[in-house]
């Protein structure tokens, strides 16, 4: 689960990492532009009032009392380039910034209005896992503010690594050493080591897949402030991470949100063919084959594994798309073909889909699956590539 | 079974007394796997398909010493069960659990490395040598997938493996040992770690890798091939050639960011090392014919 910036920052702040003072402005569905402008301006006004009397000192990172940053709360990267982060010198400008952001992306559900921090320099810090070594991996750089992939390519010598043994845990000398390796000294080095410790605590206690602060600001008065947060909670740990809930604002579309609640792996695309397949690897391969054949994908959806009895719900999700055809490909062994075929036939009977369905269902008890589909008037295919070509031809209007 | 375990290797089952575990335990035994004991806390004294059940792995080991453990325990108990097996001296473990917490997986792999053990999984069907034995859940009665033969298969997927293996069989080959390392971000064992066994295995003439985007396991195979440490023919099929960057495609491990973890990078590394890469499952059979009898 990818947390939004403000959610991640709340976790950081709780762990003792300084974040800029902020207000969250939610975007009411169906609300007027005027109302959004006013509420954003009000948030900015509140922040500068706080800055003026020095309130909220725990969070306050010596904000410029007039300036704010308005940031779209979306989980996609590259917000700056996409025009989803804007600075504003006054509350009125903040209101205009909010409107401009929404005109760029109407799906934005929340805006974070933050005090502007006076920045001396920007660092990079992240914790993730290193699969081959089975260690937790801390990466840091004195050249923050750009994506780590870019940094690793363009200035690999600036990226410092520390590997943490998952049983011994992070040691103080490791955080300290990392600070010195970045060329930090004095109080800044001490603060940095503390931030590393706090972020490690967040990473471990929240079962994170990634905990990243980029940029990590060093302010003009020498304080370290998290300029952004990227906190991805491991989906397999959500059972024991009760504080995090799947919420609508984490998703671009209603369908993605509905699928997540259902536990059905689903990715939204904008093409013609809805994939309703079983098995992650096979679905990914069918996605490739559709592209090879000149088709486009409307959605990736998996109803295999524990979801193999959920054909009806899976088909319902596909039907929410503007796709032209639903392509069902499975090769299940534990997830039995006959059970899937029965589920599909029932789903078709109940949902009466308004678009053609191409099936290619193989695996355990496939003879019975084929018969079930035939009895329901579907001509089942048994070759993946043939099924893909058929779906692409239907999507292009070359056949029914 | 020549890779990982063979038909003589004594096996202990953990958490197999539930309905799913019991179903597959029965098939393991029917195929020829040498199951000597089962462990379910609180059920000592019972029997599972004629196999005695014990409270703990240590108690089972005291009676019938196993060398491999097959775990049917749910994801949230997988770490504990793996540690229990390792603690009892077992050095080959398969855990099929789908959904093991990531940081548990890191500790599982770290503990295995420290103990000099090999843990396969999670999120896998396990390991099978068709016609001989298996540690896992494979419907080996499906002839067009699980035909015995001379091609070793290593995979990160389930259904995709069936798709690819069906083409291997259609091309006239069969399977020596199939190892599912699983689809997680941190699998207990990695592709390259099985190559020495395949190199030494007289039953395997070639190896097929069923990989996908994300991680670096395919690159590690390429490295061993390039260094001349694996000399048998390698044919790979990798899913996710056209997957958009930054999008997770199903498996936790199937995500490419920037230039890392892309199929393009994996294909380049494998081809440079001399491996053959199929662009679609059907081609795997054709490529195998070009390098193996």
């Amino acid at each position: 689960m990818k947390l939004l910036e403000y959610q991640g920052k709340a976790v950081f702040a709780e762990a003792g990492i300084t974040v800029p003072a902020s207000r969250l402005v939610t975007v009411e569905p169906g609300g007027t532009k005027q109302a959004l402008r006013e509420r954003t301006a009000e948030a900015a006004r509140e922040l500068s009032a706080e800055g003026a009397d020095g309130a909220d000192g725990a969070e306050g990172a010596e904000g410029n009392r007039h300036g704010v940053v308005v940031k779209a709360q979306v989980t996609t990267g590259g917000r700056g380039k996409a025009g989803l982060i804007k600075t504003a010198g006054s509350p009125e400008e903040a209101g205009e910034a909010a409107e401009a952001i929404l005109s760029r992306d109407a799906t934005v559900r929340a805006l974070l209005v933050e005090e502007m921090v006076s920045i001396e320099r920007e660092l990079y810090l992240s914790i993730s896992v290193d699969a081959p070594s089975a260690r937790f991996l801390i990466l840091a750089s004195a050249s923050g503010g750009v994506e780590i992939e870019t940094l690793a390519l363009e200035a690999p010598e600036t990226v410092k690594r520390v590997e943490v043994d998952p049983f011994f845990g992070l040691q103080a000398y490791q955080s300290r050493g990392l600070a010195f390796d970045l060329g930090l000294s004095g109080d800044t080095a001490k603060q940095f080591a503390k931030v590393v410790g706090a972020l490690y605590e967040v990473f471990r206690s929240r079962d994170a897949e990634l905990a990243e602060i980029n940029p990590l600001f060093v302010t003009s008065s020498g304080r370290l402030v998290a300029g952004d947060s990227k906190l991805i909670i491991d989906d397999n740990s959500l059972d024991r991470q009760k504080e995090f809930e799947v919420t609508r604002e984490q998703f671009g579309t209603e369908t993605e949100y509905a699928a997540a609640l259902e536990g059905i792996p689903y990715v939204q695309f904008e093409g013609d063919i809805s994939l309703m397949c079983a098995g992650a690897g096979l679905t990914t391969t069918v996605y490739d084959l559709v592209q090879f054949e000149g088709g486009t994908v409307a959605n990736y959806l998996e109803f295999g594994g524990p979801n193999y009895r959920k054909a009806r719900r899976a088909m319902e999700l596909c039907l929410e798309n503007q796709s032209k055809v639903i392509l069902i490909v499975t090769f299940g062994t534990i997830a039995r073909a006959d059970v899937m075929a029965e589920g599909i036939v029932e789903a078709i009977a109940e949902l009466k889909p308004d678009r053609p369905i191409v099936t290619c269902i193989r695996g355990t008890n496939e003879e019975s699956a084929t018969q079930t589909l035939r009895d329901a008037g579907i001509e089942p295919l048994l070759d993946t590539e043939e099924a893909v070509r058929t779906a692409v031809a239907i999507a292009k209007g070359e056949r029914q | 079974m020549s890779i990982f375990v063979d038909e003589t290797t004594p096996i202990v089952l953990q958490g197999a007394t539930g309905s799913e575990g019991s179903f597959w335990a029965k098939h393991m035994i029917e195929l020829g796997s040498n199951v000597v004991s089962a462990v379910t806390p609180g059920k000592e004294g019972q029997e599972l398909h004629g196999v005695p059940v014990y409270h703990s792995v240590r108690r089972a080991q005291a009676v019938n010493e196993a060398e491999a453990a097959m775990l049917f325990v749910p994801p949230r108990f997988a770490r504990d069960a793996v540690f229990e097996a390792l603690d009892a001296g077992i050095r080959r473990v398969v855990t099929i659990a789908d959904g093991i917490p990531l940081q548990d997986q890191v500790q599982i792999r770290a503990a295995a490395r420290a103990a000099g053990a090999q843990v396969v999984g999670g999120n896998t069907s396990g390991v099978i040598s068709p016609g001989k034995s298996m540690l896992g859940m494979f419907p080996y009665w499906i002839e067009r997938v699980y035909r015995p033969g001379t091609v070793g298969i290593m995979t990160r997927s389930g259904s995709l493996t069936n798709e690819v293996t069906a083409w291997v069989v259609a091309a006239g080959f069969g399977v020596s040992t199939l190892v599912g390392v699983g689809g997680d971000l941190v699998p207990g064992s990695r592709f390259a770690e099985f190559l020495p066994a395949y190199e030494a295995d007289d039953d395997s003439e070639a190896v097929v890798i069923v990989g996908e985007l994300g991680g670096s396991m395919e690159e590690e195979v390429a490295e061993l091939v390039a260094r001349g440490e694996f000399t048998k023919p390698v044919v790979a099929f990798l899913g996710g050639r056209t997957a958009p960057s930054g999008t997770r495609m199903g498996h936790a491990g199937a995500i490419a960011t920037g230039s890392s973890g892309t199929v393009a990078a994996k294909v380049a590394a494998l081809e440079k090392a001399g491996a053959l890469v199929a662009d679609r499952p059907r081609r795997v059979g054709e490529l195998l014919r070009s390098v193996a009898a």
Side-chain angles (χ1 to χ4, degrees), chain A residues 201-240:
Chain A
E201 191 48 40
V202 165
F203 176 82
R204 288 289 279 140
S205 65
R206 297 332 198 273
D207 273 303
E209 191 178 309
L210 172 70
E212 182 186 82
I213 307 177
N214 185 30
L216 174 59
F217 296 133
V218 181
T219 68
S220 46
S221 65
R223 299 189 66 191
L224 263 64
V225 177
D228 195 357
S229 85
K230 198 168 180 186
L231 190 55
I232 305 179
I233 309 301
D234 169 30
D235 286 335
N236 289 343
S237 301
L238 292 178
D239 278 350
R240 64 188 188 198

Side-chain angles (χ1 to χ4, degrees), chain B residues 150-241:
Chain B
T150 58
V151 176
I153 295 182
M154 289 196 286
T155 178
R156 294 166 66 180
S157 295
S159 295
L160 176 60
T161 310
N162 297 334
E163 175 85 26
V164 172
T165 308
W167 287 114
V168 170
V169 170
F173 298 93
V175 180
S176 56
T177 299
L178 187 157
V179 176
V181 301
D184 282 344
L185 206 55
V186 183
S189 297
R190 305 172 69 78
F191 283 159
E193 291 162 353
F194 292 98
L195 285 180
Y198 277 115
E199 180 77 9
D201 179 27
D202 290 337
D203 294 341
S204 300
E205 285 176 23
V207 167
V208 168
I209 310 271
V210 184
E212 62 185 357
L213 73 161
S216 58
M217 280 200 289
E218 294 80 3
E219 285 87 338
E220 291 155 24
V221 169
E223 222 176 286
L224 254 72
V225 173
R227 285 208 305 261
E229 289 175 32
F230 187 73
T231 58
K232 295 178 183 180
V234 174
V235 176
F237 170 76
L238 311 177
R241 277 182 189 246

